[in-house]
Amino acid sequence: MQKNAIVPYILIMAFGIGLIFFLSVQGVNDEAEIAEEQATEEEGGGEAAEGEEGGETAEGDFDPEEFAQANCISCHGSSYEGGVGPSLIATELPQPDIEDILINGKGTMPAGLVPEENVAAMAEWVLSLE
């Protein structure tokens, strides 16, 4: 191989290393910004609107379908027929078991994903899926 044939590979590798470095630095900046936003929201001083994470309407009423669209479809699929998580369609689990899973988690399902005051409404909605 000639020396001139190696130069493009070196340039591509240098570009790739530079890109990885830039993205890792950008990620650190984003992480700090996200943590700051969460701290502001927890203090109640943020201007985040109700329902920003999905689930609450402008009136503050919990909307299980909106919550599911924002938080559940990544595992249960956009039509709730399963993916990483099981299908939610026509589940045979009774409501108390669904509520227990929503509160305590199960398998890869994280505990506390649904606020406790909305667990019953979410479980009823899951049972309504056909």
Side-chain angles (χ1 to χ4, degrees):
M1 230 188 218
Q2 298 176 355
K3 284 185 179 182
N4 291 339
I6 296 176
V7 172
Y9 297 111
I10 293 173
L11 291 174
I12 291 171
M13 188 168 41
F15 176 75
I17 291 170
L19 182 62
I20 289 170
F21 176 75
F22 171 77
L23 291 175
S24 67
V25 169
Q26 183 63 34
V28 169
N29 290 340
D30 288 346
E31 182 180 348
E33 183 178 317
I34 290 169
E36 183 179 316
E37 286 176 7
Q38 288 177 345
T40 303
E41 287 177 14
E42 287 175 5
E43 293 171 1
E47 295 184 21
E50 289 285 332
E52 189 172 290
E53 288 189 25
E56 291 200 23
T57 63
E59 301 86 38
D61 296 329
F62 181 72
D63 182 354
E65 185 170 7
E66 184 180 328
F67 184 87
Q69 286 291 317
N71 298 287
C72 305
I73 62 173
S74 60
C75 293
H76 294 284
S78 60
S79 58
Y80 313 113
E81 292 180 350
V84 174
S87 173
L88 300 179
I89 305 295
T91 182
E92 295 180 8
L93 293 173
Q95 184 165 341
D97 288 356
I98 295 171
E99 290 178 9
D100 182 61
I101 292 169
L102 293 172
I103 293 169
N104 300 310
K106 181 177 179 182
T108 58
M109 170 82 178
L113 184 63
V114 178
E116 284 201 44
E117 64 270 13
N118 300 322
V119 167
M122 192 73 189
E124 287 176 24
W125 178 80
V126 169
L127 288 170
S128 74
L129 295 174
E130 295 179 359

